Amino acid sequence: MTTRDLSASSRDRKQGRLPGEGFLRRMRPYFRQVAGLFVIGSLAGIAMNIAVVLPSVLLGHAVDAVLAFHRGQATGGAVTRAALLLIMGTAATELPRVGKRWWLGVARARIYANVRADALRGVLSWPADRLHTTSVGEVMARIIGDVEVLGTGVNELIVETWDTVLFSVALIVAMLAYDPALGALALAPVPIALTLAKVAGIWVSRRTLRAREANAALTTFVQEGLVGLRVLRASGRRAAFARRLNLLADAQADAELAATRLDSALAPVYGTLTTAGVLAVIWLGGTKVATGALSVGDLVAFLGLFTRFTARAFRIPQMVNRVQAAAAAFTRLAPLLAPPPPLGDEPPRASWRSDRVAGGGVRPRHEAVTPRRGPVGIVLDDVLFVYPGAAHSALNGVSLRVAPGALVAVTGPVGSGKTALARAVLGLYPVQSGRVRIDGADPHTWTPAERDSVGYLPQGHPVFSGSVADNVTLTHPEPGTTAGTIPSGRLAKALRVADLDTDVAGMADGTATGIGELGVRVSGGQRQRIALARALAAPATSPRLLVLDDPFSAVDADTEARIIAALREAVGPAAPPECQATVLLCSTRLAAFAQADEVIVLDHGRIHERGAHQELLTAGGLYARIFRAQRRGHATAAVVRP
């Protein structure tokens, strides 16, 4: 939860606002998305609550008819008519109730789905510096668990408004109509229960937040453990992991039990307060029957109304508390949410449909941009870059000019700033000072449409569950296809440049072969080359800029040489102008650096050396030492290899 969220909650309490009022105001776009379902469900709820007094009233009428028949003052036909009216009155209540619950239940489920979709869209649009400081487990806990808590509050609001609030109002009006004094005395404890619910809201919010935070800590730990499961098993640390997991699970259980205990303790208190008035009904009502002020049937009807009221009334303060819990969960969700899709983008009558997720099937609207072709120019002027939360800068005073179409190779010791340079060029992180320009534009402000011409191979070479084609194209396959919507020639070209075409040809299903979660069904080298092929094929057009971070760590020297040669052929100066790209190659492997137009050597975030490959070798500096050490290592490996 942010400081702003906490201050807003405190401000609401100080200003005496209703529990969850600010949260409900911010939820209005989600209610509008299901307005049609709300209208139908609300009409059914109104019909139900108009008829809700009929069963009790008609029961009293039937009792009086039976007593009159027993005294010989009514006929059997009158008793039959009274019984039929009782059946019809019950049906008039229950049939609208079924419709109300269906339509409002569907509306609630759609709100669940819409909030989750907006949370996911919001996270996908986060800048990298925010992702850098937020764990995946925390995001998962919010999108899954907090939405459940939010949904419970929304369900209480939209269902109990009709099932309990208006239901109770109708019964209260009917009781007061029978006997105002008796009704007022019977209902006297109800305001006490409502006051208690408002006061208890502070406890409910605090315990809900503690439970959600404990759930987030546990989810984060489990997610990280599953990702590193093989390391835990290989290093014999499973028992230590299990002990830590038990501690976090116990902490979550304690927090959840504390919230549940409070809810369970409040429920009987509310029930006792709302039913306490039955003493007044029996005492004062019995007295009035004895004096003839009320008939037996009227007292039965009044008792029936009061019994139906007390069967639901305790849920009113409970609903208040659950809306308060939902408001607490929403404060954790709000920072994730993207703005809801405009209603104008939805198809006609979308709010009346039971299976519609807002924005589903609608492609994001990008500004009209004429695709540009050809390589880009790169300019860095005195760039200072510090990772979020880091104590030292990753880049310090870096200035660089890269001509369009050049292949610039960047190397340096571990931690020298190679990855930081790649991320700064792509605008994934903002720089603290200095200037980064790609074709004159700040990459940190690029729109999705402008990023469509960038190919990026990040360090670690992440891949996704799915097929080879899914990973290379990053597009959803059209019906009847397996390679997505890009031309098959681009897919084949990307596989060939990444030296993956022979490997794919040997797979059982070719490009449709599944690679498993995180690529567990393919080798490390294949996983790396799939990610490289994606950098070439995933952009909407031929990439104008290719940023490759450590692309050869999992392949041998021969494969590396073939990839570099194919890459120069595909996007280098000899390629058609519309296919040419500027390439920034960051690597600790130097075998391909001889083909670079310029070599940049970083050390401690600064440019230590720069120049052509042969020039740097002749200079005998850091680059020359790294290159010769690697060449000796390769020669030794070749001698000892069986």
Side-chain angles (χ1 to χ4, degrees):
M1 186 191 304
T2 64
T3 303
R4 183 173 60 186
D5 295 327
L6 289 170
S7 61
S9 299
S10 302
R11 186 169 59 250
D12 285 352
R13 286 196 297 272
K14 290 178 182 177
Q15 294 176 358
R17 294 177 180 169
L18 293 173
E21 182 180 348
F23 136 72
L24 294 176
R25 184 171 58 252
R26 297 179 69 182
M27 285 290 293
R28 280 185 299 186
Y30 297 102
F31 294 135
R32 286 197 293 266
Q33 291 167 351
V34 293
L37 294 171
F38 271 146
V39 168
I40 304 175
S42 298
L43 290 175
I46 291 171
M48 181 197 78
N49 284 284
I50 290 174
V52 73
V53 301
L54 292 178
S56 298
V57 172
L58 293 174
L59 176 62
H61 176 68
V63 169
D64 284 341
V66 170
L67 291 175
F69 177 77
H70 181 70
R71 293 191 297 265
Q73 297 173 349
T75 65
V79 174
T80 302
R81 285 193 297 273
L84 290 175
L85 285 173
L86 176 59
I87 294 172
M88 293 171 61
T90 303
T93 301
E94 298 305 321
L95 291 178
R97 185 196 301 274
V98 172
K100 171 196 67 75
R101 290 191 172 180
W102 162 257
W103 282 301
L104 293 184
V106 170
R108 175 199 62 199
R110 279 194 54 185
I111 289 174
Y112 272 46
N114 290 339
V115 171
R116 281 202 171 107
D118 285 350
L120 182 59
R121 289 194 304 110
V123 172
L124 290 175
S125 67
W126 279 3
D129 53 339
R130 186 171 180 184
L131 292 169
H132 193 87
T133 56
T134 307
S135 70
V136 174
E138 171 74 17
V139 172
M140 290 170 59
R142 295 191 188 193
I143 292 179
I144 298 173
D146 289 356
V147 170
E148 287 294 335
V149 176
L150 173 66
T152 299
V154 169
N155 178 60
E156 292 282 319
L157 184 69
I158 67 178
V159 174
E160 296 303 331
T161 296
W162 302 110
D163 270 5
T164 299
V165 178
L166 293 183
F167 179 91
S168 299
V169 169
L171 293 172
I172 289 170
V173 171
M175 284 188 284
L176 293 175
Y178 264 100
D179 191 308
L182 181 60
L185 192 59
L187 298 170
V190 174
I192 300 174
L194 294 175
T195 302
L196 175 61
K198 185 172 182 179
V199 173
I202 298 174
W203 308 331
V204 170
S205 296
R206 287 175 180 170
R207 294 197 182 190
T208 299
L209 282 174
R210 281 200 295 268
R212 300 316 314 144
E213 289 164 358
N215 175 261
L218 177 62
T219 304
T220 299
F221 188 74
V222 170
Q223 183 268 334
E224 291 175 349
L226 291 175
V227 171
L229 182 60
R230 295 172 184 81
V231 176
L232 292 172
R233 293 183 62 183
S235 58
R237 303 301 296 169
R238 287 184 296 176
F241 178 84
R243 286 194 296 271
R244 175 63 177 159
L245 182 64
N246 286 337
L247 291 175
L248 291 173
D250 289 343
Q252 184 192 356
D254 291 342
E256 296 280 3
L257 285 172
T260 302
R261 279 196 299 267
L262 178 61
D263 185 63
S264 300
L266 289 172
V269 174
Y270 296 147
T272 301
L273 288 172
T274 55
T275 57
V278 71
L279 300 174
V281 175
I282 294 173
W283 171 66
L284 184 58
T287 302
K288 290 195 172 191
V289 169
T291 60
L294 277 179
S295 70
V296 174
D298 287 343
L299 180 59
V300 170
F302 191 95
L303 276 170
L305 293 170
F306 184 76
T307 302
R308 297 199 73 181
F309 169 76
T310 56
R312 301 290 303 182
F314 74 93
R315 294 184 64 84
I316 297 176
Q318 242 183 6
M319 178 188 76
V320 172
N321 290 156
R322 285 176 181 168
V323 170
Q324 291 163 331
F330 188 77
T331 60
R332 286 169 45 82
L333 273 172
L336 273 64
L337 297 175
L343 291 179
D345 290 348
E346 292 291 282
R349 295 179 295 281
S351 71
W352 301 78
R353 291 173 51 183
S354 62
D355 60 347
R356 177 73 185 172
V357 176
V362 178
R363 295 183 181 275
R365 294 185 302 175
H366 301 323
E367 66 282 2
V369 176
T370 302
R372 299 179 64 183
R373 298 299 182 95
V376 303
I378 302 174
V379 175
L380 280 76
D381 283 331
D382 198 24
V383 169
L384 172 66
F385 169 50
V386 182
Y387 282 111
H392 304 287
S393 60
L395 296 176
N396 193 351
V398 172
S399 296
L400 181 64
R401 299 286 189 279
V402 178
L407 168 58
V408 175
V410 182
T411 192
V414 174
S416 60
K418 300 183 293 298
T419 296
L421 178 63
R423 291 172 174 175
V425 166
L426 290 167
L428 298 180
Y429 290 81
V431 297
Q432 278 60 46
S433 64
R435 188 172 66 113
V436 180
R437 294 293 182 268
I438 307 298
D439 266 3
D442 183 353
H444 194 252
T445 64
W446 276 345
T447 64
E450 290 169 322
R451 288 193 177 276
D452 275 348
S453 60
V454 175
Y456 176 42
L457 172 62
Q459 192 176 47
H461 326 114
V463 293
F464 308 95
S465 299
S467 67
V468 173
D470 294 336
N471 275 273
V472 173
T473 63
L474 288 188
T475 55
H476 185 70
E478 296 294 333
T481 72
T482 58
T485 57
I486 72 166
S488 58
R490 282 185 59 195
L491 174 61
K493 179 180 177 182
L495 295 175
R496 178 179 56 78
V497 172
D499 198 43
L500 196 62
D501 48 351
T502 303
D503 298 63
V504 171
M507 294 179 180
D509 297 316
T511 58
T513 301
I515 67 171
E517 185 177 10
L518 301 178
V520 296
R521 298 180 187 171
V522 294
S523 69
Q526 289 172 329
R527 191 160 55 243
Q528 188 173 55
R529 283 176 285 150
I530 288 172
L532 174 59
R534 179 175 64 222
L536 294 162
T541 63
S542 295
R544 304 178 64 219
L545 171 64
L546 271 174
V547 178
L548 309 178
D549 191 359
D550 197 21
F552 305 123
S553 59
V555 299
D556 57 56
D558 291 339
T559 302
E560 178 180 352
R562 290 196 299 271
I563 291 174
I564 284 294
L567 187 63
R568 293 286 281 181
E569 179 185 349
V571 302
E578 67 274 11
C579 296
Q580 293 178 16
T582 302
V583 181
L584 185 66
L585 170 63
C586 302
S587 178
T588 54
R589 295 270 298 266
L590 308 185
F593 278 40
Q595 300 185 52
D597 297 302
E598 184 178 20
V599 174
I600 306 293
V601 183
L602 295 175
D603 193 19
H604 294 94
R606 296 179 179 274
I607 295 180
H608 183 73
E609 293 177 298
R610 63 191 309 170
H613 168 75
Q614 195 58 47
E615 292 174 359
L616 295 179
L617 288 182
T618 303
L622 176 60
Y623 178 79
R625 293 196 300 273
I626 296 173
F627 183 84
R628 287 166 183 150
Q630 286 190 11
R631 189 167 59 180
R632 286 195 299 271
H634 292 318
T636 302
V639 170
V640 300
R641 187 181 299 126

